[in-house]
């Protein structure tokens, strides 16, 4: 940093002030934009490979959803999770192997429930279920141990002046604070894909038509009812039941849902993954939020009146008598239809959307614990729960990361589709594997022709076996950008992304993207021309699983 001295003359003498101006320009081999789990694994890979790296994080907290409440990990087949992703879950194992980590219960009291397998895998020394602060601790530990330079709360300037590009090559990016970051290679590891969009890379928002890629599960899915997130009883969507003239209840769209299989602009619902507890010493009771209106939850009251009783089915247990609480049922924490403009919205608008989601979800909690329209037994049981006092301490115990399940998706050198996830098409340049269900949450809530309410868009289809993810899905078309990799908003159809979008996979892809960027630097080639044999060798040495 440069020091400047100002000499001020006045009647009583001369005063000299010394001060340091903040640094405005940064240089590194690799610039990573994002604070997600993918961003951190990419940075660790860069350091391990001996190249300079800077993480430009729009967030204060590192780890994205992995440290933001999603502790009941969506893993699928755990044998295909390798490299730094597996190391992350090993570090979680080591954390909970210490007696001091069990503050509210003993380790042998923990139920050890996971998705398909036990939460603690002693044989492989991994643990797949964890508290938010434990995940953040691992990411921060990596940053400290690897001496990774991280600049936090640095939002990309999304105007034309926010990027310096020569031909198809990014030379520098700028943030709203006025800082400039120059690099040889860039990675967009955000959930939104803002750098990708600013760089002029093609992308898609919403659902493609089934006809676009010859798929079955992609476009509008009217009449397809998977999981349990749909109205199983005939429930009126009108303020006065059965009276169309009385208007629609809150959260029900008046738009036509569209025809089966056609494309639309809509995005699957977001929510916050909440860390709750019913352990009184660590419980913060649900409070009435700002702008609370019980009428917003009338549809939920009608669901309960119909006899529905699956209240606690997604209070998934994590250590220390806490939960990762997710959406469940026809009316739950997913704020259906209220996020369509989020992917391309301004920062100000995104803040509004996030605030609206928070108020809706807090209102839902308060309603279920207090409103007399709720069944007495449910109300009594729900009121015993609250936010965990020892999580998200600087954010009122509320998660700092909205679950952005899907935003922009690149249209890159190769587009992953359901044909890849079903292993019906050969992927010859794998840089990692996925295995989770093709999973989309609901996209809209509408009125059926018979006058009753229904949800649409919730899909759960299992792949036949773990599948390969193409290197081409991480890179843009060479005619658009030659030194950018995109491991989160990667090139994929909506429904294929429903499986790929899991946090362990993002960690895998973050590491693989960095390895490719490093090879591109060393061989002085574009990311599209990275030698795959070399990349495969590096990733294999790093423990990445690329085929079964």
């Amino acid at each position: 940093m440069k020091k400047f001295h100002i000499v001020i003359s006045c009647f009583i003498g001369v005063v000299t002030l010394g001060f340091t101006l903040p640094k405005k320009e940064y240089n590194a081999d690799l610039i990573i934009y994002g604070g997600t789990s993918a961003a951190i694994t990419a940075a660790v890979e860069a350091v391990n490979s001996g190249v300079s790296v800077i993480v430009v994080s729009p967030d204060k907290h590192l780890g994205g959803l992995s440290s933001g409440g999603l502790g009941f990990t969506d893993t699928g087949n755990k044998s295909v999770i390798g490299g730094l992703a597996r190391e992350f879950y090993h570090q979680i194992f080591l954390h909970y192997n210490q007696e001091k980590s069990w503050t509210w219960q003993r380790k042998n009291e923990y139920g050890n429930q996971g998705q398909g397998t036990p939460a603690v895998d002693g044989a492989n020394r991994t643990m797949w279920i964890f508290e938010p602060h434990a995940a953040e601790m691992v990411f921060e530990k990596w940053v400290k141990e690897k001496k990774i330079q991280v600049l936090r709360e640095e939002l990309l300037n999304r105007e034309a002046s926010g990027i310096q590009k020569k031909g198809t090559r990014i030379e520098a990016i700028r943030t709203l604070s006025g800082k400039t970051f120059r690099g040889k290679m860039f990675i967009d590891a955000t959930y939104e894909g803002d750098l990708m969009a600013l760089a002029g890379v093609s992308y898609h928002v919403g659902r493609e038509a089934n006809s676009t890629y010859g798929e079955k599960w992609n476009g509008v899915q009217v009449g397809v009812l998977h999981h349990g997130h749909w109205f199983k009883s005939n429930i009126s969507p009108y303020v006065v039941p059965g009276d169309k003239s009385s208007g629609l209840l809150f959260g029900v769209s008046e738009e036509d849902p569209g025809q089966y299989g056609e494309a639309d602009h809509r995005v699957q619902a977001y929510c916050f993954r909440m860390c709750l507890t019913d352990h009184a010493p660590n419980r913060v009771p649900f409070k009435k939020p700002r702008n609370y209106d019980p009428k917003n939850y009338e549809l939920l009251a009608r669901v309960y009146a119909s006899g529905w009783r699956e209240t606690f089915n997604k209070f998934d247990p994590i250590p220390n008598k806490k939960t990762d609480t997710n959406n469940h049922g026809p009316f739950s924490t997913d704020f259906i239809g209220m996020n369509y403009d989020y992917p391309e919205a301004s920062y100000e608008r995104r803040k509004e959307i996030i605030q609206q989601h928070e108020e809706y979800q807090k209102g839902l909690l308060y309603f279920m614990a207090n409103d007399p329209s709720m069944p007495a037994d449910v109300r009594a049981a729900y009121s015993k729960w609250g936010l965990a006092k020892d999580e998200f301490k600087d954010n009122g115990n509320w998660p700092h990361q909205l679950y952005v399940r899907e935003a922009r998706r690149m249209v890159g050198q190769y587009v992953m589709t359901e044909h890849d996830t079903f292993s019906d098409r050969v992927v010859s340049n794998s840089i990692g594997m996925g295995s989770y269900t093709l999973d989309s949450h609901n996209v809209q809530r509408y009125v059926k022709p018979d006058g009753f309410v229904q949800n649409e868009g919730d899909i759960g289809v299992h792949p036949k076996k773990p599948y390969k993810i193409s290197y081409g899905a991480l890179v843009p078309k060479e005619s658009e950008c030659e030194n950018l990799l995109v491991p989160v908003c990667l090139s994929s159809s909506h429904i294929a992304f429903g499986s790929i979008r899991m946090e362990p996979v993002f960690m895998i892809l973050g590491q693989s993207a960095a390895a490719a960027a490093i090879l591109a630097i060393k061989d002085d080639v574009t990311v599209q021309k990275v030698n795959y044999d070399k990349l495969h060798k590096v990733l294999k040495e790093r423990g990445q699983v690329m085929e079964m």
Side-chain angles (χ1 to χ4, degrees):
M1 293 187 180
K2 297 179 180 179
K3 283 195 172 182
F4 296 84
H5 295 273
I6 296 178
V7 179
I8 302 174
S9 298
C10 58
F11 291 112
I12 59 174
V14 178
V15 180
T16 301
L17 299 177
F19 61 91
T20 303
L21 290 178
K23 186 175 179 180
K24 287 292 185 180
E25 183 145 339
Y26 297 79
N27 290 271
D29 294 321
L30 177 62
I31 304 296
I32 300 170
Y33 183 60
T36 62
S37 59
I40 304 307
T41 55
V44 172
E45 174 62 28
V47 172
N48 288 346
S49 299
V51 303
S52 59
V53 60
I54 297 174
V55 175
V56 183
S57 174
D59 311 305
K60 177 181 178 181
H61 296 273
L62 302 180
L65 259 298
S66 287
S67 61
L70 205 166
F72 198 77
T73 308
D74 300 318
T75 50
N77 187 324
K78 296 172 178 61
S79 66
V80 301
I81 300 172
L84 288 171
R86 179 162 286 267
E87 177 61 24
F88 170 82
Y89 297 105
H90 173 60
Q91 291 296 320
I92 293 292
F93 172 86
L94 294 179
H95 171 72
Y96 286 110
N97 218 25
Q98 304 174 79
E99 188 175 341
K100 66 179 182 180
S101 298
W102 297 90
T103 53
W104 301 112
Q105 68 182 155
R106 294 177 181 176
K107 185 178 180 180
N108 61 10
E109 295 173 340
Y110 175 58
N112 203 24
Q113 176 186 340
Q115 288 211 37
T117 60
V120 183
D121 182 351
N124 292 295
R125 293 175 63 79
T126 51
M127 185 163 176
W128 307 94
I129 312 297
F130 47 84
E131 298 159 280
H133 77 266
E136 188 169 7
M137 178 199 68
V138 173
F139 293 121
E140 292 290 355
K141 178 184 176 185
W142 278 352
V143 166
K144 183 177 180 180
E145 288 178 349
K146 300 296 182 180
K147 298 179 181 178
I148 299 169
Q149 187 174 10
V150 179
L151 283 82
R152 304 172 196 247
E153 298 182 279
E154 288 287 344
L155 291 168
L156 180 69
N157 178 351
R158 292 162 61 191
E159 301 296 328
S161 58
I163 192 167
Q164 183 179 332
K165 200 175 174 190
K166 186 175 182 180
T168 58
R169 191 172 191 84
I170 302 171
E171 294 188 331
I173 61 173
R174 297 183 179 88
T175 56
L176 292 180
S177 68
K179 296 181 180 67
T180 298
F181 298 89
R182 297 188 179 278
K184 298 174 182 175
M185 288 286 153
F186 293 80
I187 291 178
D188 184 337
T190 63
Y191 291 122
E192 295 83 7
D194 287 338
L195 175 54
M196 171 188 73
L198 186 62
V201 172
S202 299
Y203 61 87
H204 190 86
V205 177
R207 297 180 286 189
E208 300 94 344
N210 279 336
S211 59
T212 302
Y213 299 116
E215 296 175 296
K216 178 180 180 181
W217 303 106
N218 192 350
V220 173
Q221 298 286 312
V222 170
V224 179
L225 304 171
H226 292 180
H227 297 120
H229 311 317
W230 50 283
F231 292 88
K232 299 176 182 178
S233 301
N234 287 334
I235 294 176
S236 175
Y238 301 113
V239 174
V240 176
D243 182 1
K244 184 176 180 180
S245 66
S246 65
L248 291 169
L249 290 174
F250 179 80
V252 182
S253 172
E254 62 183 12
E255 292 184 12
D256 183 274
Q259 298 299 308
Y260 173 82
E262 70 179 10
D264 70 355
H265 67 285
R266 303 178 182 99
V267 180
Q268 62 176 304
Y270 300 166
C271 71
F272 287 93
R273 296 286 285 250
M274 301 177 297
C275 187
L276 304 182
T277 183
D278 61 353
H279 187 54
N282 194 37
R283 180 175 65 92
V284 178
F286 300 133
K287 298 177 182 177
K288 184 187 294 186
R290 187 182 68 171
N291 299 325
Y292 174 73
D293 186 346
K295 292 195 295 292
N296 292 348
Y297 309 99
E298 169 61 23
L299 198 55
L300 177 63
R302 294 182 188 181
V303 170
Y304 273 99
S306 73
W308 186 85
R309 288 294 187 280
E310 300 175 24
T311 308
F312 300 104
N313 282 27
K314 284 303 292 178
F315 278 51
D316 293 317
I318 63 175
N320 287 308
K321 299 185 176 181
K322 301 174 190 175
T323 72
D324 167 359
T325 297
N326 192 17
N327 177 82
H328 183 75
F331 191 108
S332 184
T333 58
D334 279 0
F335 202 14
I336 298 171
M338 305 301 177
N339 62 338
Y340 298 156
D341 60 333
Y342 180 90
E344 301 201 76
S346 66
Y347 292 130
E348 292 74 18
R349 174 60 184 145
R350 283 181 185 167
K351 285 181 181 179
E352 291 177 357
I353 295 170
I354 291 169
Q355 183 64 34
Q356 289 164 2
H357 277 69
E358 181 176 336
E359 290 177 359
Y360 163 78
Q361 208 159 322
K362 285 181 174 179
L364 178 72
L365 299 174
Y366 184 82
F367 181 88
M368 294 188 72
N370 295 279
D371 197 273
S373 67
M374 291 294 294
D377 60 318
V378 175
R379 192 167 69 247
Y382 219 89
S383 62
K384 294 178 181 178
W385 288 86
L387 304 178
K389 191 183 298 182
D390 58 355
E391 298 289 350
F392 311 119
K393 293 180 182 179
D394 65 347
N395 197 41
N397 310 114
W398 190 256
H400 45 68
Q401 175 65 58
L402 179 67
Y403 195 171
V404 179
R405 288 189 172 93
E406 186 174 14
R408 299 182 178 98
R409 299 186 312 281
M410 180 169 65
V411 181
Q413 191 178 58
Y414 185 93
V415 180
M416 292 287 293
T417 71
E418 67 179 43
H419 304 296
D420 299 293
T421 62
F422 293 147
S423 301
D424 291 336
R425 189 164 65 177
V426 176
V427 173
S428 59
N429 55 353
S430 172
I431 40 76
M433 300 189 76
S435 63
Y436 197 75
T437 302
L438 282 71
D439 178 45
S440 172
H441 279 233
N442 277 307
V443 178
Q444 57 182 325
R445 179 176 289 139
Y446 69 101
V447 182
K448 296 185 296 176
D450 62 7
F452 295 111
V453 66
Q454 193 52 272
N455 295 334
E456 182 276 321
D458 188 89
I459 298 295
V461 185
H462 298 288
K464 303 168 188 173
K465 59 183 180 179
Y467 57 88
K468 300 175 181 179
I469 300 173
S470 170
Y471 173 63
L474 302 190
V475 299
K477 298 167 186 173
E478 193 167 19
S479 61
E480 295 177 345
C481 193
E482 65 182 56
N483 64 334
L484 174 69
L485 293 110
V486 185
V488 178
C489 294
L490 77 164
S491 182
S492 168
S493 71
H494 157 74
I495 194 58
F497 191 76
S499 174
I500 297 168
R501 65 178 180 85
M502 304 305 151
E503 287 292 300
V505 179
F506 284 156
M507 291 187 221
I508 291 168
L509 299 182
Q511 180 179 12
S512 294
I518 293 158
L519 278 176
I521 292 170
K522 291 180 177 178
D523 292 349
D524 192 24
V525 295
T526 67
V527 293
Q528 292 82 7
K529 288 186 168 61
V530 166
N531 185 294
Y532 176 70
D533 290 337
K534 288 184 179 180
L535 179 58
H536 185 276
K537 181 181 178 182
V538 169
L539 293 178
K540 192 172 182 180
E541 290 171 352
R542 295 288 195 264
Q544 207 74 292
V545 180
M546 293 163 286
E547 54 266 326
M548 290 295 287

